[in-house]
Amino acid sequence: MNSFNRKNSLIQTYSLAVIDVACVIVSYLIAYAIRYRNLRQMGQVDFAICLLLVLFSLLYCFLIDWNHFIFKRGYFDEVLAVFKYTLSITVMLGFSVFLFRQGEFFSRLVFGVFAILDALLTYSAHILFKKYLYYFYKKSTSSDKVLVVTTRANILKILQDIKNEAEWSYEVTSIALLDEEVLEKEIGGIPIVANGENFLEEIKQNAMDAVFLYLPDCKHDKVNRFIEAFETMGVTCYYSVGNLERKKSVQSVDTFGGHLVIAYEANVIDYRRQFIKRFFDILGAAVGMLITLILTPFIALAIKADSKGPVFFSQIRIGKNGRRFKMYKFRSMYPDAEKRKTELLKENEVQGLMFKMENDPRITRVGKFLRRTSLDELPQFFNVLKGDMSLVGTRPPTVDEFEQYSLHYRRRLSITPGLTGMWQVSGRSDITDFDEVVKLDLKYIDNWSLALDFKIILQTIGVVLFHKGSK
Protein backbone atom coordinates (compact mmCIF):
# COMPACT_ATOMS: atom_id res chain seq x y z
CA MET A 1 0.00 0.00 0.00
CA ASN A 2 1.45 3.41 -0.96
CA SER A 3 1.96 6.25 1.52
CA PHE A 4 -1.18 8.12 0.45
CA ASN A 5 -3.35 5.04 0.93
CA ARG A 6 -1.73 4.28 4.30
CA LYS A 7 -2.29 7.81 5.52
CA ASN A 8 -5.83 7.88 4.09
CA SER A 9 -6.77 4.60 5.74
CA LEU A 10 -5.28 5.48 9.12
CA ILE A 11 -6.88 8.92 9.42
CA GLN A 12 -10.19 7.71 8.04
CA THR A 13 -10.49 4.58 10.19
CA TYR A 14 -9.48 6.03 13.55
CA SER A 15 -11.18 9.42 13.11
CA LEU A 16 -14.50 7.80 12.22
CA ALA A 17 -14.17 5.29 15.05
CA VAL A 18 -13.80 8.17 17.51
CA ILE A 19 -16.73 10.03 15.89
CA ASP A 20 -19.00 6.97 16.02
CA VAL A 21 -18.14 6.26 19.66
CA ALA A 22 -18.74 9.91 20.60
CA CYS A 23 -22.16 9.79 18.90
CA VAL A 24 -23.03 6.59 20.81
CA ILE A 25 -22.12 8.12 24.19
CA VAL A 26 -23.89 11.44 23.54
CA SER A 27 -27.02 9.69 22.21
CA TYR A 28 -27.21 7.35 25.20
CA LEU A 29 -26.75 10.16 27.74
CA ILE A 30 -29.42 12.30 26.07
CA ALA A 31 -31.81 9.34 25.86
CA TYR A 32 -31.25 8.59 29.54
CA ALA A 33 -31.75 12.26 30.50
CA ILE A 34 -35.03 12.40 28.53
CA ARG A 35 -36.32 9.33 30.36
CA TYR A 36 -35.12 10.01 33.91
CA ARG A 37 -34.55 13.82 33.87
CA ASN A 38 -31.35 13.37 35.86
CA LEU A 39 -28.04 11.79 34.84
CA ARG A 40 -27.06 11.43 38.50
CA GLN A 41 -29.41 8.47 38.80
CA MET A 42 -27.26 6.36 36.48
CA GLY A 43 -26.22 3.14 38.17
CA GLN A 44 -23.71 0.41 37.41
CA VAL A 45 -26.09 -1.32 34.96
CA ASP A 46 -26.61 1.93 33.04
CA PHE A 47 -22.87 2.53 32.75
CA ALA A 48 -22.34 -1.09 31.72
CA ILE A 49 -24.94 -0.72 28.95
CA CYS A 50 -23.19 2.43 27.70
CA LEU A 51 -19.85 0.59 27.66
CA LEU A 52 -21.46 -2.29 25.75
CA LEU A 53 -22.71 0.15 23.10
CA VAL A 54 -19.21 1.59 22.77
CA LEU A 55 -17.78 -1.93 22.44
CA PHE A 56 -20.34 -2.90 19.78
CA SER A 57 -19.64 0.31 17.86
CA LEU A 58 -15.89 -0.41 17.82
CA LEU A 59 -16.42 -4.04 16.84
CA TYR A 60 -18.67 -3.02 13.97
CA CYS A 61 -16.12 -0.40 12.87
CA PHE A 62 -13.04 -2.63 12.87
CA LEU A 63 -14.53 -6.03 12.04
CA ILE A 64 -17.12 -4.98 9.47
CA ASP A 65 -15.02 -1.97 8.34
CA TRP A 66 -18.22 -0.22 7.33
CA ASN A 67 -16.53 3.18 6.89
CA HIS A 68 -14.01 1.92 4.32
CA PHE A 69 -16.04 3.25 1.37
CA ILE A 70 -17.59 6.24 3.12
CA PHE A 71 -16.23 8.69 0.54
CA LYS A 72 -17.80 6.68 -2.27
CA ARG A 73 -21.25 6.85 -0.65
CA GLY A 74 -23.77 9.52 -1.62
CA TYR A 75 -26.33 10.99 0.77
CA PHE A 76 -28.90 8.18 0.32
CA ASP A 77 -26.26 5.43 0.53
CA GLU A 78 -25.00 7.04 3.72
CA VAL A 79 -28.52 6.90 5.20
CA LEU A 80 -28.72 3.17 4.46
CA ALA A 81 -25.23 2.50 5.87
CA VAL A 82 -25.95 4.42 9.10
CA PHE A 83 -29.35 2.72 9.48
CA LYS A 84 -27.72 -0.70 9.14
CA TYR A 85 -25.00 0.23 11.64
CA THR A 86 -27.42 1.61 14.26
CA LEU A 87 -29.78 -1.32 13.85
CA SER A 88 -26.88 -3.75 14.29
CA ILE A 89 -25.53 -2.28 17.53
CA THR A 90 -29.02 -1.87 19.05
CA VAL A 91 -29.88 -5.49 18.17
CA MET A 92 -26.60 -6.62 19.75
CA LEU A 93 -27.45 -4.58 22.83
CA GLY A 94 -30.94 -6.07 23.02
CA PHE A 95 -29.54 -9.57 22.72
CA SER A 96 -26.96 -8.88 25.46
CA VAL A 97 -29.60 -7.46 27.83
CA PHE A 98 -31.77 -10.53 27.25
CA LEU A 99 -28.80 -12.91 27.63
CA PHE A 100 -27.78 -11.45 30.98
CA ARG A 101 -31.41 -11.06 32.12
CA GLN A 102 -31.13 -7.33 32.74
CA GLY A 103 -34.26 -6.35 30.81
CA GLU A 104 -36.16 -5.26 33.93
CA PHE A 105 -33.46 -2.67 34.68
CA PHE A 106 -33.37 -1.18 31.17
CA SER A 107 -35.97 1.28 29.90
CA ARG A 108 -37.44 0.57 26.46
CA LEU A 109 -37.85 4.34 25.97
CA VAL A 110 -34.13 4.83 26.45
CA PHE A 111 -33.58 2.02 23.99
CA GLY A 112 -35.80 3.60 21.30
CA VAL A 113 -34.68 7.22 21.79
CA PHE A 114 -31.03 6.13 21.69
CA ALA A 115 -31.49 4.35 18.34
CA ILE A 116 -33.13 7.42 16.76
CA LEU A 117 -30.63 9.92 18.16
CA ASP A 118 -27.60 7.80 17.31
CA ALA A 119 -28.72 7.40 13.71
CA LEU A 120 -29.30 11.16 13.34
CA LEU A 121 -26.06 12.16 15.08
CA THR A 122 -23.91 9.60 13.27
CA TYR A 123 -25.31 10.56 9.87
CA SER A 124 -24.81 14.29 10.53
CA ALA A 125 -21.28 13.73 11.89
CA HIS A 126 -20.30 11.65 8.85
CA ILE A 127 -21.55 14.29 6.42
CA LEU A 128 -19.73 17.07 8.30
CA PHE A 129 -16.56 14.96 8.47
CA LYS A 130 -16.59 14.38 4.71
CA LYS A 131 -17.23 18.06 3.99
CA TYR A 132 -14.42 19.07 6.31
CA LEU A 133 -11.89 16.79 4.58
CA TYR A 134 -13.02 17.82 1.10
CA TYR A 135 -13.27 21.56 1.58
CA PHE A 136 -10.80 22.35 4.39
CA TYR A 137 -8.24 19.60 4.94
CA LYS A 138 -7.66 19.05 1.22
CA LYS A 139 -6.81 22.73 0.79
CA SER A 140 -4.67 22.93 3.93
CA THR A 141 -0.89 22.63 4.14
CA SER A 142 -1.34 19.25 5.86
CA SER A 143 -2.71 17.50 2.78
CA ASP A 144 -0.34 15.97 0.23
CA LYS A 145 0.48 18.19 -2.74
CA VAL A 146 0.77 16.40 -6.09
CA LEU A 147 2.53 17.35 -9.32
CA VAL A 148 1.09 15.72 -12.45
CA VAL A 149 3.57 15.05 -15.26
CA THR A 150 2.04 14.16 -18.63
CA THR A 151 1.38 15.66 -22.08
CA ARG A 152 -1.13 18.25 -23.26
CA ALA A 153 -3.13 15.57 -25.07
CA ASN A 154 -3.66 13.57 -21.85
CA ILE A 155 -3.92 16.19 -19.10
CA LEU A 156 -7.69 16.77 -19.23
CA LYS A 157 -8.41 13.05 -19.01
CA ILE A 158 -5.98 12.60 -16.10
CA LEU A 159 -7.49 15.49 -14.13
CA GLN A 160 -10.97 14.06 -14.72
CA ASP A 161 -9.85 10.58 -13.58
CA ILE A 162 -8.44 12.04 -10.38
CA LYS A 163 -11.59 14.09 -9.81
CA ASN A 164 -13.78 11.00 -10.28
CA GLU A 165 -11.90 9.24 -7.48
CA ALA A 166 -12.88 12.07 -5.10
CA GLU A 167 -9.82 11.60 -2.90
CA TRP A 168 -9.52 13.93 0.10
CA SER A 169 -5.96 13.15 1.24
CA TYR A 170 -4.17 14.83 -1.66
CA GLU A 171 -4.57 17.81 -3.94
CA VAL A 172 -3.18 18.33 -7.45
CA THR A 173 -1.46 21.71 -7.13
CA SER A 174 0.76 21.83 -10.21
CA ILE A 175 1.20 20.44 -13.72
CA ALA A 176 4.29 19.77 -15.85
CA LEU A 177 3.78 19.01 -19.54
CA LEU A 178 6.42 17.38 -21.73
CA ASP A 179 5.24 19.40 -24.74
CA GLU A 180 7.83 21.95 -25.79
CA GLU A 181 5.23 24.60 -26.67
CA VAL A 182 2.42 25.22 -24.20
CA LEU A 183 0.26 28.32 -24.55
CA GLU A 184 -1.79 28.00 -21.36
CA LYS A 185 -0.62 29.20 -17.95
CA GLU A 186 -3.07 26.91 -16.14
CA ILE A 187 -5.56 24.13 -16.80
CA GLY A 188 -8.67 23.73 -14.69
CA GLY A 189 -7.36 26.32 -12.25
CA ILE A 190 -4.12 24.35 -11.71
CA PRO A 191 -0.92 26.19 -12.72
CA ILE A 192 1.43 24.76 -15.35
CA VAL A 193 4.80 25.15 -13.62
CA ALA A 194 7.03 23.65 -16.33
CA ASN A 195 7.04 22.25 -19.84
CA GLY A 196 9.43 20.45 -22.13
CA GLU A 197 11.60 17.41 -21.40
CA ASN A 198 13.95 19.49 -19.23
CA PHE A 199 11.14 20.30 -16.80
CA LEU A 200 13.08 18.91 -13.82
CA GLU A 201 15.18 22.06 -13.48
CA GLU A 202 12.03 24.18 -13.37
CA ILE A 203 10.20 22.19 -10.67
CA LYS A 204 13.03 21.86 -8.13
CA GLN A 205 11.59 24.67 -6.00
CA ASN A 206 8.00 23.48 -6.43
CA ALA A 207 6.10 22.46 -3.28
CA MET A 208 5.19 18.80 -3.81
CA ASP A 209 4.88 15.65 -1.75
CA ALA A 210 4.39 13.31 -4.70
CA VAL A 211 4.46 13.12 -8.49
CA PHE A 212 2.03 11.28 -10.74
CA LEU A 213 3.59 10.26 -14.07
CA TYR A 214 1.27 9.42 -16.97
CA LEU A 215 3.58 8.98 -19.96
CA PRO A 216 2.27 6.08 -22.10
CA ASP A 217 4.15 7.26 -25.21
CA CYS A 218 7.44 8.03 -23.49
CA LYS A 219 10.48 5.74 -23.86
CA HIS A 220 11.38 3.66 -20.82
CA ASP A 221 14.89 5.03 -20.44
CA LYS A 222 13.50 8.56 -20.29
CA VAL A 223 10.84 7.58 -17.75
CA ASN A 224 13.53 5.87 -15.64
CA ARG A 225 15.55 9.09 -15.69
CA PHE A 226 12.55 11.04 -14.40
CA ILE A 227 11.80 8.49 -11.66
CA GLU A 228 15.45 8.44 -10.57
CA ALA A 229 15.44 12.24 -10.30
CA PHE A 230 12.35 12.26 -8.07
CA GLU A 231 13.83 9.50 -5.91
CA THR A 232 16.95 11.66 -5.49
CA MET A 233 14.71 14.52 -4.35
CA GLY A 234 12.98 12.28 -1.81
CA VAL A 235 9.61 12.77 -3.50
CA THR A 236 7.20 9.83 -3.82
CA CYS A 237 6.64 8.95 -7.48
CA TYR A 238 3.61 7.13 -8.95
CA TYR A 239 4.06 5.84 -12.47
CA SER A 240 0.81 4.94 -14.21
CA VAL A 241 0.71 1.68 -16.13
CA GLY A 242 -2.91 2.11 -17.24
CA ASN A 243 -6.49 2.70 -16.17
CA LEU A 244 -8.27 0.32 -13.84
CA GLU A 245 -11.28 -1.41 -15.38
CA ARG A 246 -11.89 -3.83 -12.48
CA LYS A 247 -11.02 -1.82 -9.39
CA LYS A 248 -12.71 -4.05 -6.81
CA SER A 249 -10.67 -7.12 -7.73
CA VAL A 250 -7.31 -5.34 -7.33
CA GLN A 251 -5.58 -6.68 -4.20
CA SER A 252 -1.80 -6.47 -4.45
CA VAL A 253 -1.01 -3.33 -6.46
CA ASP A 254 -1.17 0.38 -5.79
CA THR A 255 -3.78 2.69 -7.23
CA PHE A 256 -3.79 6.43 -7.75
CA GLY A 257 -6.52 8.54 -9.32
CA GLY A 258 -8.23 5.50 -10.86
CA HIS A 259 -4.95 4.26 -12.36
CA LEU A 260 -2.84 1.21 -11.71
CA VAL A 261 0.56 2.53 -10.61
CA ILE A 262 4.03 1.47 -9.64
CA ALA A 263 4.99 3.43 -6.53
CA TYR A 264 8.56 4.57 -5.95
CA GLU A 265 9.11 5.80 -2.38
CA ALA A 266 12.50 6.75 -1.00
CA ASN A 267 11.22 6.70 2.58
CA VAL A 268 8.44 4.33 3.64
CA ILE A 269 6.68 6.09 6.51
CA ASP A 270 4.88 4.37 9.35
CA TYR A 271 2.05 6.83 9.90
CA ARG A 272 1.19 5.41 13.30
CA ARG A 273 4.62 6.43 14.57
CA GLN A 274 4.25 9.74 12.74
CA PHE A 275 1.04 10.44 14.66
CA ILE A 276 2.85 9.61 17.91
CA LYS A 277 5.64 11.98 16.88
CA ARG A 278 3.07 14.71 16.20
CA PHE A 279 1.46 14.09 19.61
CA PHE A 280 4.80 14.61 21.37
CA ASP A 281 5.43 17.68 19.18
CA ILE A 282 2.18 19.24 20.42
CA LEU A 283 2.96 18.28 24.02
CA GLY A 284 6.52 19.64 23.79
CA ALA A 285 5.37 22.80 22.02
CA ALA A 286 2.78 23.46 24.75
CA VAL A 287 5.50 23.24 27.43
CA GLY A 288 7.86 25.32 25.29
CA MET A 289 5.21 28.00 24.72
CA LEU A 290 4.63 28.23 28.47
CA ILE A 291 8.37 28.74 29.07
CA THR A 292 8.46 31.29 26.23
CA LEU A 293 5.57 33.28 27.74
CA ILE A 294 7.31 33.39 31.12
CA LEU A 295 10.67 34.52 29.68
CA THR A 296 9.38 36.87 26.96
CA PRO A 297 9.02 40.02 29.17
CA PHE A 298 12.61 39.74 30.40
CA ILE A 299 14.06 38.92 26.95
CA ALA A 300 11.99 41.70 25.35
CA LEU A 301 13.29 44.29 27.82
CA ALA A 302 16.89 43.20 27.18
CA ILE A 303 16.45 43.34 23.38
CA LYS A 304 14.82 46.78 23.50
CA ALA A 305 17.46 48.18 25.87
CA ASP A 306 20.28 46.90 23.65
CA SER A 307 19.15 48.09 20.20
CA LYS A 308 16.28 49.62 18.28
CA GLY A 309 13.87 47.37 16.41
CA PRO A 310 11.18 44.76 17.06
CA VAL A 311 11.45 42.08 19.74
CA PHE A 312 10.55 39.27 17.35
CA PHE A 313 12.10 38.43 14.00
CA SER A 314 10.24 36.51 11.31
CA GLN A 315 11.57 35.08 8.08
CA ILE A 316 10.15 32.95 5.28
CA ARG A 317 11.70 29.50 5.44
CA ILE A 318 11.24 26.34 3.36
CA GLY A 319 9.51 23.45 5.09
CA LYS A 320 8.50 19.92 4.20
CA ASN A 321 8.72 19.20 0.46
CA GLY A 322 9.05 22.86 -0.49
CA ARG A 323 6.24 24.40 1.59
CA ARG A 324 6.90 27.99 2.63
CA PHE A 325 6.16 29.21 6.14
CA LYS A 326 7.03 32.11 8.41
CA MET A 327 9.53 31.12 11.11
CA TYR A 328 9.75 33.15 14.34
CA LYS A 329 12.71 33.97 16.59
CA PHE A 330 13.69 36.55 19.18
CA ARG A 331 15.63 39.23 17.30
CA SER A 332 19.36 38.73 17.84
CA MET A 333 20.63 41.01 15.05
CA TYR A 334 20.38 44.65 14.11
CA PRO A 335 17.33 45.55 11.97
CA ASP A 336 19.43 45.99 8.80
CA ALA A 337 21.01 42.51 9.09
CA GLU A 338 19.43 41.11 5.92
CA LYS A 339 20.68 44.04 3.82
CA ARG A 340 24.22 43.70 5.19
CA LYS A 341 24.40 39.96 4.51
CA THR A 342 25.46 40.46 0.86
CA GLU A 343 28.59 42.41 1.78
CA LEU A 344 29.57 39.75 4.34
CA LEU A 345 29.23 36.72 2.04
CA LYS A 346 32.98 36.74 1.38
CA GLU A 347 33.48 36.13 5.13
CA ASN A 348 31.31 32.99 5.10
CA GLU A 349 32.96 30.18 7.10
CA VAL A 350 30.79 27.40 5.67
CA GLN A 351 31.46 25.82 2.29
CA GLY A 352 28.25 25.56 0.29
CA LEU A 353 24.70 26.81 0.60
CA MET A 354 24.71 28.16 4.14
CA PHE A 355 26.00 31.30 5.83
CA LYS A 356 27.86 31.18 9.15
CA MET A 357 30.29 33.71 10.60
CA GLU A 358 31.91 33.47 14.06
CA ASN A 359 32.17 37.20 14.76
CA ASP A 360 29.16 38.37 12.76
CA PRO A 361 28.99 42.20 13.20
CA ARG A 362 25.24 42.11 12.64
CA ILE A 363 24.63 40.34 15.96
CA THR A 364 23.81 42.54 18.95
CA ARG A 365 25.34 42.11 22.41
CA VAL A 366 22.13 40.62 23.78
CA GLY A 367 21.84 38.62 20.57
CA LYS A 368 25.16 36.88 21.28
CA PHE A 369 23.85 35.75 24.65
CA LEU A 370 20.52 34.63 23.16
CA ARG A 371 22.29 32.61 20.47
CA ARG A 372 24.82 31.07 22.85
CA THR A 373 21.97 29.87 25.09
CA SER A 374 19.59 29.13 22.16
CA LEU A 375 16.97 31.38 23.80
CA ASP A 376 16.50 33.18 20.48
CA GLU A 377 14.79 30.06 19.13
CA LEU A 378 12.08 29.80 21.81
CA PRO A 379 9.35 31.39 19.61
CA GLN A 380 9.77 28.48 17.19
CA PHE A 381 7.68 26.41 19.60
CA PHE A 382 4.78 28.30 18.02
CA ASN A 383 5.85 26.93 14.62
CA VAL A 384 5.90 23.43 16.13
CA LEU A 385 2.40 23.91 17.53
CA LYS A 386 1.15 25.03 14.10
CA GLY A 387 2.72 22.00 12.42
CA ASP A 388 5.20 23.94 10.27
CA MET A 389 8.02 22.42 12.28
CA SER A 390 8.71 19.45 14.54
CA LEU A 391 10.76 19.19 17.72
CA VAL A 392 13.33 17.08 15.84
CA GLY A 393 14.05 17.21 12.12
CA THR A 394 16.25 19.04 9.63
CA ARG A 395 16.81 22.77 9.78
CA PRO A 396 14.64 24.74 7.31
CA PRO A 397 16.69 26.66 4.72
CA THR A 398 16.10 30.27 3.71
CA VAL A 399 14.50 31.03 0.35
CA ASP A 400 17.76 32.12 -1.29
CA GLU A 401 19.50 28.93 -0.12
CA PHE A 402 16.64 26.76 -1.37
CA GLU A 403 16.69 28.38 -4.81
CA GLN A 404 20.25 27.07 -5.27
CA TYR A 405 19.47 23.51 -4.20
CA SER A 406 20.34 20.57 -6.43
CA LEU A 407 18.03 17.53 -6.65
CA HIS A 408 20.22 15.78 -4.05
CA TYR A 409 19.99 18.64 -1.54
CA ARG A 410 16.23 18.80 -1.90
CA ARG A 411 15.85 15.37 -0.28
CA ARG A 412 16.71 16.86 3.15
CA LEU A 413 13.31 18.58 2.91
CA SER A 414 11.37 15.32 2.54
CA ILE A 415 10.42 15.49 6.25
CA THR A 416 9.08 18.25 8.50
CA PRO A 417 11.93 20.54 9.62
CA GLY A 418 12.79 20.63 13.31
CA LEU A 419 13.95 22.82 16.18
CA THR A 420 16.89 20.50 16.61
CA GLY A 421 18.46 17.62 14.72
CA MET A 422 21.59 15.61 14.09
CA TRP A 423 23.47 18.65 12.82
CA GLN A 424 22.82 20.60 16.02
CA VAL A 425 24.01 17.76 18.29
CA SER A 426 27.00 16.89 16.09
CA GLY A 427 28.93 20.11 16.29
CA ARG A 428 26.59 22.76 14.93
CA SER A 429 28.83 25.76 14.15
CA ASP A 430 31.93 23.54 14.31
CA ILE A 431 30.77 21.98 11.01
CA THR A 432 32.07 24.11 8.14
CA ASP A 433 30.85 22.16 5.11
CA PHE A 434 27.21 22.22 3.99
CA ASP A 435 27.61 18.79 2.41
CA GLU A 436 28.37 17.45 5.90
CA VAL A 437 25.13 19.03 7.13
CA VAL A 438 23.24 17.34 4.31
CA LYS A 439 24.94 14.03 5.08
CA LEU A 440 23.80 14.22 8.72
CA ASP A 441 20.26 15.21 7.69
CA LEU A 442 19.96 12.29 5.27
CA LYS A 443 21.35 9.94 7.92
CA TYR A 444 18.55 11.09 10.23
CA ILE A 445 15.90 10.65 7.51
CA ASP A 446 17.09 7.16 6.56
CA ASN A 447 17.31 5.97 10.18
CA TRP A 448 14.39 7.84 11.71
CA SER A 449 12.69 6.36 14.75
CA LEU A 450 10.95 7.66 17.86
CA ALA A 451 13.91 6.41 19.92
CA LEU A 452 16.31 8.46 17.76
CA ASP A 453 14.17 11.58 18.30
CA PHE A 454 14.24 11.05 22.05
CA LYS A 455 18.03 10.56 21.97
CA ILE A 456 18.53 13.79 19.97
CA ILE A 457 16.31 15.76 22.38
CA LEU A 458 18.41 14.57 25.35
CA GLN A 459 21.63 15.43 23.49
CA THR A 460 20.22 18.86 22.59
CA ILE A 461 19.63 19.62 26.27
CA GLY A 462 23.30 18.86 26.92
CA VAL A 463 24.38 20.97 23.94
CA VAL A 464 22.33 23.95 25.17
CA LEU A 465 23.50 23.68 28.78
CA PHE A 466 27.21 23.44 27.85
CA HIS A 467 26.99 25.75 24.78
CA LYS A 468 28.65 23.12 22.61
CA GLY A 469 29.15 24.30 19.02
CA SER A 470 27.12 27.53 19.37
CA LYS A 471 28.46 30.76 17.99
Side-chain angles (χ1 to χ4, degrees):
M1 185 182 288
N2 64 58
S3 61
F4 283 179
N5 289 339
R6 286 194 299 270
K7 179 180 179 180
N8 184 324
S9 178
L10 197 62
I11 293 176
Q12 185 173 310
T13 300
Y14 288 98
S15 296
L16 287 168
V18 171
I19 288 171
D20 292 346
V21 166
C23 289
V24 163
I25 295 172
V26 171
S27 298
Y28 182 75
L29 293 177
I30 293 175
Y32 189 91
I34 290 174
R35 171 63 179 84
Y36 296 105
R37 307 290 181 182
N38 191 349
L39 290 176
R40 293 179 181 177
Q41 294 182 9
M42 292 183 71
Q44 291 182 350
V45 173
D46 301 308
F47 280 111
I49 288 172
C50 186
L51 289 175
L52 276 176
L53 285 169
V54 169
L55 176 63
F56 295 149
S57 176
L58 291 173
L59 286 173
Y60 195 88
C61 175
F62 291 104
L63 296 183
I64 307 300
D65 197 16
W66 75 295
N67 287 320
H68 184 76
F69 296 105
I70 185 173
F71 291 94
K72 303 294 183 182
R73 298 197 294 250
Y75 290 103
F76 181 70
D77 290 333
E78 190 65 37
V79 169
L80 294 178
V82 169
F83 175 77
K84 185 178 178 182
Y85 155 75
T86 305
L87 180 63
S88 297
I89 65 173
T90 50
V91 167
M92 284 189 283
L93 177 64
F95 177 76
S96 299
V97 169
F98 172 78
L99 184 65
F100 293 104
R101 299 179 181 180
Q102 299 294 321
E104 59 184 289
F105 302 105
F106 185 60
S107 169
R108 290 174 177 80
L109 179 61
V110 173
F111 192 85
V113 173
F114 163 79
I116 295 171
L117 285 176
D118 187 57
L120 291 174
L121 282 178
T122 302
Y123 177 79
S124 301
H126 280 202
I127 296 300
L128 289 174
F129 180 69
K130 288 195 285 187
K131 286 187 178 295
Y132 165 75
L133 290 179
Y134 277 136
Y135 299 109
F136 294 97
Y137 180 86
K138 189 171 185 175
K139 301 294 181 181
S140 72
T141 56
S142 298
S143 68
D144 294 304
K145 309 306 176 187
V146 178
L147 166 72
V148 173
V149 180
T150 185
T151 60
R152 183 65 184 86
N154 292 309
I155 185 60
L156 293 178
K157 178 182 180 302
I158 295 304
L159 293 180
Q160 188 60 48
D161 288 342
I162 293 173
K163 183 179 180 181
N164 290 342
E165 287 300 298
E167 288 288 352
W168 56 266
S169 60
Y170 61 82
E171 176 190 15
V172 177
T173 54
S174 52
I175 297 169
L177 301 177
L178 292 195
D179 307 71
E180 292 296 336
E181 294 185 8
V182 178
L183 299 177
E184 300 100 324
K185 297 292 184 181
E186 61 177 44
I187 295 175
I190 304 170
I192 300 172
V193 296
N195 66 280
E197 295 188 358
N198 294 322
F199 72 92
L200 287 169
E201 287 300 315
E202 298 180 57
I203 55 91
K204 279 191 303 186
Q205 280 75 49
N206 198 56
M208 56 184 170
D209 299 291
V211 178
F212 176 59
L213 297 178
Y214 184 78
L215 304 169
D217 302 319
C218 196
K219 294 181 178 179
H220 288 297
D221 58 339
K222 193 176 294 182
V223 172
N224 287 333
R225 179 166 60 86
F226 297 154
I227 293 172
E228 184 179 357
F230 289 119
E231 282 184 317
T232 301
M233 294 168 67
V235 174
T236 299
C237 184
Y238 300 108
Y239 174 57
S240 173
V241 294
N243 287 93
L244 286 175
E245 296 296 333
R246 298 179 59 82
K247 300 178 187 178
K248 291 184 179 179
S249 63
V250 174
Q251 296 294 330
S252 58
V253 294
D254 282 335
T255 61
F256 185 93
H259 288 248
L260 182 66
V261 298
I262 299 173
Y264 298 86
E265 299 180 79
N267 306 304
V268 179
I269 301 171
D270 183 341
Y271 278 99
R272 288 178 177 83
R273 288 188 296 161
Q274 284 281 23
F275 282 129
I276 295 172
K277 179 181 172 72
R278 180 58 187 151
F279 170 77
F280 282 110
D281 281 345
I282 294 172
L283 190 64
V287 174
M289 286 294 293
L290 181 61
I291 295 171
T292 304
L293 287 173
I294 294 171
L295 295 180
T296 291
F298 306 102
I299 295 175
L301 283 173
I303 291 173
K304 282 292 187 180
D306 186 44
S307 63
K308 293 181 179 180
V311 172
F312 296 98
F313 170 76
S314 65
Q315 185 181 49
I316 299 298
R317 291 292 183 103
I318 308 300
K320 182 181 178 182
N321 287 326
R323 290 171 172 79
R324 300 189 178 212
F325 70 97
K326 188 175 286 188
M327 190 181 79
Y328 300 95
K329 299 178 73 173
F330 283 120
R331 182 174 61 83
S332 60
M333 292 185 172
Y334 292 102
D336 62 346
E338 289 299 303
K339 294 179 182 178
R340 295 172 62 187
K341 181 179 177 180
T342 304
E343 62 189 61
L344 295 172
L345 286 176
K346 59 181 180 293
E347 305 292 334
N348 188 11
E349 297 172 2
V350 177
Q351 297 179 26
L353 306 179
M354 207 160 106
F355 181 81
K356 282 287 179 181
M357 187 176 174
E358 183 173 356
N359 297 310
D360 194 329
R362 301 173 302 161
I363 301 176
T364 64
R365 287 176 300 172
V366 169
K368 289 180 181 179
F369 171 77
L370 293 177
R371 288 188 167 215
R372 190 169 63 253
T373 57
S374 297
L375 290 173
D376 62 318
E377 298 187 1
L378 283 177
Q380 288 171 43
F381 281 113
F382 178 66
N383 289 116
V384 176
L385 199 63
K386 285 175 60 184
D388 295 326
M389 296 178 66
S390 177
L391 292 177
V392 183
T394 60
R395 286 300 289 170
T398 61
V399 175
D400 58 326
E401 290 169 355
F402 179 60
E403 288 175 347
Q404 302 176 66
Y405 269 21
S406 64
L407 299 181
H408 172 67
Y409 289 163
R410 160 132 190 171
R411 187 171 167 240
R412 69 185 295 266
L413 301 176
S414 60
I415 62 168
T416 303
L419 273 174
T420 186
M422 292 197 77
W423 167 50
Q424 286 87 338
V425 299
S426 301
R428 209 167 161 192
S429 295
D430 294 334
I431 297 175
T432 59
D433 190 337
F434 180 66
D435 284 333
E436 185 63 26
V437 174
V438 175
K439 183 180 178 180
L440 289 169
D441 286 340
L442 297 185
K443 180 181 178 182
Y444 170 76
I445 293 170
D446 292 334
N447 296 281
W448 176 79
S449 68
L450 293 170
L452 180 59
D453 275 5
F454 185 65
K455 178 182 177 182
I456 290 174
I457 289 173
L458 291 179
Q459 289 177 326
T460 300
I461 295 172
V463 167
V464 172
L465 289 177
F466 297 104
H467 314 310
K468 180 183 176 182
S470 60
K471 294 180 180 180

